[in-house]
Amino acid sequence: MDEFLEQFLIEARELVEQATEDLLALEQSPNDRARLDSAFRAFHTLKGAAGIVDFAAMAHLTHAAEDRLAELRAGKRSVTRALTDDCLACLDQITLWLAAMEETGAAPEDAAAAADALAAKLGAAPETKPAGPPAEALAILREQFALMELPPDAALPGRLGSAARVIANVLHHLGLSQDTDIAALLAPLRPAPTPEPPRVEAHRPAREQNAERIDAIVKLAGELNVLKNALGHAIQTDAAQLPRLHAQLQRLVS
Amino acid sequence: MKRVLIVDDSSFVRLFYRDALTHPELVIEEARNGVEALEKMLGQPADLLIVDINMPKMDGLTLLRTLRRQAGALAAIPALVTSTEAAPGDLAAARAAGANYYLVKPVPPETLRRATEMLCGLK
């Protein structure tokens, strides 16, 4: 396990222990301000640590608990057994996640559902997940295709090779397989076609035309994926293939 | 581990980028101009170049044009250009030189970090 994760686990366990003691003490003495402040700080620090290790579900859950404790501190609500039980349940769940992280070396991937359920008990809305890859990833991918479409010159192999490396790297960053069907990534990269005058074909049912368009996109994505893998391979082996691959790319994106 | 070479004549910018890119899986190296960068790359290629445009001895675009014409894997090293120039023509010139991405200075640390992670393939 790397030192970074090890330190996260050590600190998170200390904070869980601290928050547990504070919440149990609060159940006995609901007006103990020092315990309330200490529990709030523990959840706040846990939230920050979860953010640093990119554990979104844990950050969401600790944020929900932190919000309720903040309301207690502000006098907007009173300490109840139900609330401390819900917060303790969060800590139990976090303890399970930490054990899983110690075993696997990574944040559990199936944590979102448990986090949403516990956060909902605390009155928080489910975490909204962004649809599709982030805009920056799409911008970087779009730039690689612009780079590939430049006219061939002496720098062509280097340009294509670097673009292929970046595409592979962005897919890896997004947690996508290098063999992923990238239609969903490529669709926003292609400009909308210029409207053409009505033709006989335009009278065909829209559903039929859409199906054809989807088929074309899927086919294009498949071919581009093959090209991308070929480019990645070409970097390792034979740069002489690159002009041919570039011509193929131009045909696909034109 | 991924090696990132920051190429910028400003020591402050290099320090700022180094600080923004503190990451357990990144090794940061520095060069003050294109010539120094080429020397370092010929010794040990990086996984990503972060390149300024206006520099003494050899500017960033000349560095990229030179690099992209090298033989083998050296030519395919991804490059992020950061520059105070923000006109469309500047972006086009960087692209023509072989830049894989372009950020306008001042680059917020978080933006630089995210772009670097994606360009290097860090998760």
Side-chain angles (χ1 to χ4, degrees):
Chain A
M1 187 189 326
D2 71 47
E3 193 182 349
F4 189 65
L5 182 60
E6 197 172 350
Q7 191 56 40
F8 166 78
L9 291 173
I10 291 170
E11 184 180 278
R13 284 182 169 133
E14 287 173 0
L15 290 164
V16 166
E17 193 177 334
Q18 180 65 55
T20 303
E21 286 177 14
D22 291 332
L23 290 167
L24 292 172
L26 267 182
E27 283 184 354
Q28 303 303 316
S29 313
N31 296 320
D32 188 335
R33 178 72 191 203
R35 285 293 192 179
L36 176 58
D37 288 346
S38 176
F40 173 83
R41 278 197 304 274
F43 275 102
H44 177 77
T45 310
L46 279 168
K47 181 185 72 174
I52 290 170
V53 297
D54 205 19
F55 190 173
M58 180 172 155
H60 175 54
L61 181 55
T62 47
H63 192 176
E66 181 194 15
D67 281 351
R68 297 296 83 76
L69 295 174
E71 289 169 2
L72 294 177
R73 294 173 88 205
K76 292 179 182 172
R77 63 193 299 172
S78 305
V79 174
T80 62
R81 181 63 184 262
L83 178 58
T84 53
D85 280 352
D86 288 343
C87 290
L88 287 166
C90 293
L91 296 171
D92 289 343
Q93 179 61 66
I94 291 168
T95 301
L96 294 174
W97 285 335
L98 297 177
M101 289 177 85
E102 184 166 34
E103 196 168 317
T104 65
E109 292 178 359
D110 57 350
D116 283 348
L118 287 166
K121 289 187 75 175
L122 285 161
E127 188 186 19
T128 53
K129 297 173 186 62
E136 284 161 311
L138 291 178
I140 291 176
L141 289 173
R142 183 183 299 118
E143 189 56 34
Q144 304 323 299
F145 284 92
L147 198 58
M148 287 175 159
E149 290 182 89
L150 290 174
D153 61 13
L156 177 70
R159 225 170 32 232
L160 293 183
S162 71
R165 270 184 73 171
V166 168
I167 290 172
N169 285 347
V170 172
L171 290 177
H172 183 74
H173 173 82
L174 295 173
L176 299 173
S177 155
Q178 296 300 313
D179 295 321
T180 300
D181 177 351
I182 53 175
L185 300 180
L186 295 173
L189 306 180
R190 294 177 65 75
T194 310
E196 291 179 11
R199 293 182 300 175
V200 177
E201 280 189 2
H203 297 295
R204 290 184 299 136
R207 193 176 54 186
E208 193 179 321
Q209 291 180 51
N210 284 343
E212 278 184 15
R213 187 160 181 272
I214 290 168
D215 283 347
I217 290 173
V218 169
K219 183 169 179 293
L220 173 73
E223 288 193 55
L224 281 172
N225 207 26
V226 168
L227 175 66
K228 174 174 67 62
N229 292 335
L231 281 169
H233 184 62
I235 298 167
Q236 309 295 332
T237 56
D238 183 9
Q241 296 179 47
L242 289 169
R244 183 179 58 77
L245 292 169
H246 180 256
Q248 189 183 353
L249 177 78
Q250 281 191 316
R251 180 176 60 77
L252 289 170
V253 298
S254 60
Chain B
M1 297 298 276
K2 302 284 187 180
R3 293 162 50 82
V4 175
L5 179 60
I6 299 169
V7 191
D8 200 302
D9 57 331
S10 162
S11 59
F12 173 71
V13 169
R14 295 198 304 271
L15 184 65
F16 178 69
Y17 286 2
R18 181 183 277 279
D19 187 57
L21 297 176
T22 303
H23 188 290
E25 292 181 49
L26 286 179
V27 176
I28 308 296
E29 297 199 359
E30 300 178 16
R32 291 175 296 179
N33 55 59
V35 175
E36 274 192 17
L38 276 178
E39 284 171 357
K40 282 182 183 278
M41 297 287 279
L42 290 168
Q44 189 172 11
D47 294 289
L48 175 68
L49 286 173
I50 299 179
V51 187
D52 183 28
I53 291 183
N54 297 311
M55 293 182 291
K57 292 189 180 174
M58 183 190 282
D59 66 76
L61 299 189
T62 306
L63 166 64
L64 289 183
R65 280 192 288 266
T66 308
L67 196 71
R68 294 284 178 251
R69 283 167 167 76
Q70 300 296 308
L74 197 61
I77 293 168
L80 165 65
V81 166
T82 65
S83 172
T84 50
E85 312 299 328
D90 297 310
L91 197 155
R95 182 188 291 155
N100 295 92
Y101 201 48
Y102 192 102
L103 292 172
V104 177
K105 289 180 179 177
V107 182
E110 181 61 19
T111 303
L112 182 71
R113 191 178 65 79
R114 279 201 302 271
T116 300
E117 286 176 1
M118 284 190 251
L119 290 164
C120 281
L122 291 180
K123 280 201 174 177

